[in-house]
């Protein structure tokens, strides 16, 4: 089993990614860490705990950054994409479980030091917690086995605007700091996640199982697909951004990548843009191709349990 710290800003595709990971025996989930992003951090923590309760699994949750790494500002949330509650306005109960008292960056530092060269971090929100952890304890950089990041759009346009992907523009300085740190990084960006679409027809299949969890995931994903259909007319489904990062953690052969240095534009109208420089160091693996059919089949075989 691969030991994982899973960093989330729990909106809808984060919730799907969590459930996929929780039903994957290849992964040992050490903890979920939360960050502001789709929603404020306290709501991301609440949603993470609520999804764990829905799925019926216990994994400790550690709350992290409430604001950007350098700017200290809060960004504009993505409630138009994920709903007022971050879960498609379908969160009907408040979780009874609570987050741990240790902070997300401190949990990352502690775990990596305990298990050097073993832990993979999957990060599917703004990169603030990872940036804070390696800033506080730079000695952990060579001790982290891999960081699999959902974020960026190196070879395709952004999704917030023509340049920037949401997790990058949410905290560009954190992303740039992480990319230039020398960490062993695999970048799962819009370059491939926009090729992994969940068709709306699958929601009826989930509902037909009669399981309460499947009903919940169908409800939240319905909201997400409606947003996708308004933003990308004719798309016929929603992109499985965050779940694809989990898919890559389980089976790296789902994707192929090109090695390049990636810098994040920090100012001006292109702020949050990820630009690849094949000739420069340090190199990270930017995924550019995905076996979308094989990934979708695997995801669907597990996501609702
Ligand atoms: C990313 O942005 C967030 O809204 C999603 O959860 C995903 O992590 C896609 O650009
Ligand atoms: Ca996310």
């Amino acid at each position: 089993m691969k030991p994982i710290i899973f960093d989330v800003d729990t909106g809808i595709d984060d919730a799907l990614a969590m459930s996929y990971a929780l039903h994957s025996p290849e992964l040992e989930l050490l903890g979920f860490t939360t960050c502001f992003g789709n929603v404020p951090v306290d709501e991301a923590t609440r949603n993470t705990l609520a999804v764990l309760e829905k799925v019926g699994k216990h994994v400790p949750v550690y709350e992290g950054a409430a604001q950007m790494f350098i700017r200290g500002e809060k960004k504009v949330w993505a409630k138009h994409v994920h709903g007022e509650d971050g879960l498609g306005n379908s969160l009907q109960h408040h979780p009874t479980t609570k987050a741990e008292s240790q902070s997300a960056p401190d949990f990352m530092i502690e775990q990596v030091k305990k298990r050097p060269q073993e832990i993979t971090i999957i990060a599917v929100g703004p990169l603030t917690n990872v940036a804070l952890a390696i800033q506080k304890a730079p000695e952990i950089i060579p001790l982290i086995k891999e960081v699999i990041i959902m974020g960026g759009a190196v070879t395709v346009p952004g999704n917030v605007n023509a340049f920037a992907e949401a997790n990058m523009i949410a905290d560009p300085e954190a992303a740039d700091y992480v990319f230039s740190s020398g960490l062993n990084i695999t970048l799962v960006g819009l370059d491939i996640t926009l090729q992994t679409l969940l068709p709306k027809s699958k929601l009826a299949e989930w509902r037909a199982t009669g399981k309460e969890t499947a009903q919940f995931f169908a409800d939240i994903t319905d909201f997400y697909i409606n947003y996708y259909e308004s933003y990308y007319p004719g798309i016929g489904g929603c992109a499985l951004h965050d779940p694809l990062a989990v898919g890559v953690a389980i089976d790296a052969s789902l994707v192929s990548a090109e090695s390049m240095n990636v810098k994040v534009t920090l100012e001006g109208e292109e702020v949050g843009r990820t630009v690849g420089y094949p000739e420069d160091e340090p190199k990270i693996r930017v995924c550019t191709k995905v076996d979308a059919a094989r990934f979708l089949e695997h995801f669907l075989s597990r996501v609702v349990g």
Side-chain angles (χ1 to χ4, degrees):
M1 280 211 291
K2 210 178 208 183
I4 301 285
I5 296 174
F6 198 169
D7 192 66
V8 291
D9 61 328
T10 306
I12 297 170
D13 62 325
D14 303 72
L16 293 169
M18 284 179 63
S19 187
Y20 180 30
L22 287 161
H23 292 112
S24 290
E26 300 85 350
L27 307 181
E28 177 195 3
L29 291 162
L30 303 176
F32 287 95
T33 52
T34 63
C35 187
F36 74 91
N38 290 321
V39 290
V41 71
D42 55 328
E43 295 179 28
T45 302
R46 175 200 66 198
N47 292 352
T48 305
L49 293 164
V51 170
L52 281 164
E53 289 184 10
K54 284 273 179 205
V55 175
K57 307 253 183 189
H58 181 72
V59 177
V61 176
Y62 300 82
E63 188 162 285
Q67 54 191 29
M68 296 165 91
F69 181 48
I70 302 288
R71 300 183 203 198
E73 297 162 14
K74 295 185 182 137
K75 59 162 286 248
V76 178
W77 320 119
K79 296 198 164 186
H80 56 301
V81 184
H82 296 271
E84 262 312 300
D85 59 6
L87 290 174
N89 301 329
S90 294
L91 184 65
Q92 267 142 29
H93 86 292
H94 277 253
T96 53
T97 44
K98 299 239 172 309
E100 309 297 314
S101 56
Q102 191 177 30
S103 77
D106 283 351
F107 174 69
M108 289 176 175
I109 294 166
E110 178 202 83
Q111 291 296 308
V112 168
K113 286 187 173 173
K114 251 193 221 166
R115 300 177 72 167
Q117 318 281 3
E118 282 185 37
I119 293 177
T120 295
I121 297 176
I122 305 176
V124 299
L127 288 169
T128 323
N129 287 332
V130 180
L132 288 166
I134 61 170
Q135 183 190 50
K136 185 169 179 184
E139 66 277 14
I140 66 170
I141 293 172
L143 306 182
I144 300 174
K145 188 173 180 211
E146 186 180 7
V147 187
I148 301 175
I149 294 168
M150 190 285 129
V154 179
T155 60
V156 297
N159 57 358
V160 172
N161 54 44
F163 308 108
E165 182 279 328
N167 289 337
M168 299 291 103
I169 203 169
D171 198 345
E173 286 82 9
D176 198 56
Y177 189 78
V178 169
F179 293 164
S180 63
S181 65
L183 278 165
N184 177 25
I185 293 173
T186 299
L187 195 63
V188 177
L190 301 184
D191 313 86
I192 55 168
T193 63
L194 281 174
Q195 295 169 43
T196 54
L197 294 183
L198 176 68
K200 196 165 188 162
S201 58
K202 294 294 166 196
L203 306 190
E205 293 177 24
W206 292 356
R207 289 200 166 97
T209 64
K211 292 187 210 162
E212 198 205 317
T213 329
Q215 177 72 43
F216 169 72
F217 283 112
D219 289 347
I220 67 172
T221 308
D222 209 0
F223 185 98
Y224 201 47
I225 290 180
N226 287 340
Y227 167 77
Y228 264 82
E229 284 176 342
S230 66
Y231 194 80
Y232 301 96
I235 192 169
C238 62
L240 293 169
H241 302 292
D242 296 350
L244 185 54
V246 173
V248 172
I250 297 168
D251 180 359
S253 77
L254 287 168
V255 292
S256 56
E258 290 171 32
S259 270
M260 55 183 108
N261 183 10
V262 176
K263 293 194 196 317
V264 184
T265 307
L266 301 179
E267 279 167 22
E269 71 158 344
E270 298 189 10
V271 65
R273 182 175 191 171
T274 42
V275 185
Y277 297 90
E279 66 285 1
D280 278 1
E281 302 284 334
K283 292 208 186 315
I284 68 178
R285 282 180 302 284
V286 176
C287 298
T288 51
K289 291 203 176 88
V290 58
D291 186 339
R294 190 156 68 86
F295 165 68
L296 186 63
E297 193 188 339
H298 192 256
F299 168 79
L300 287 170
S301 72
R302 294 187 175 178
V303 65
V304 294

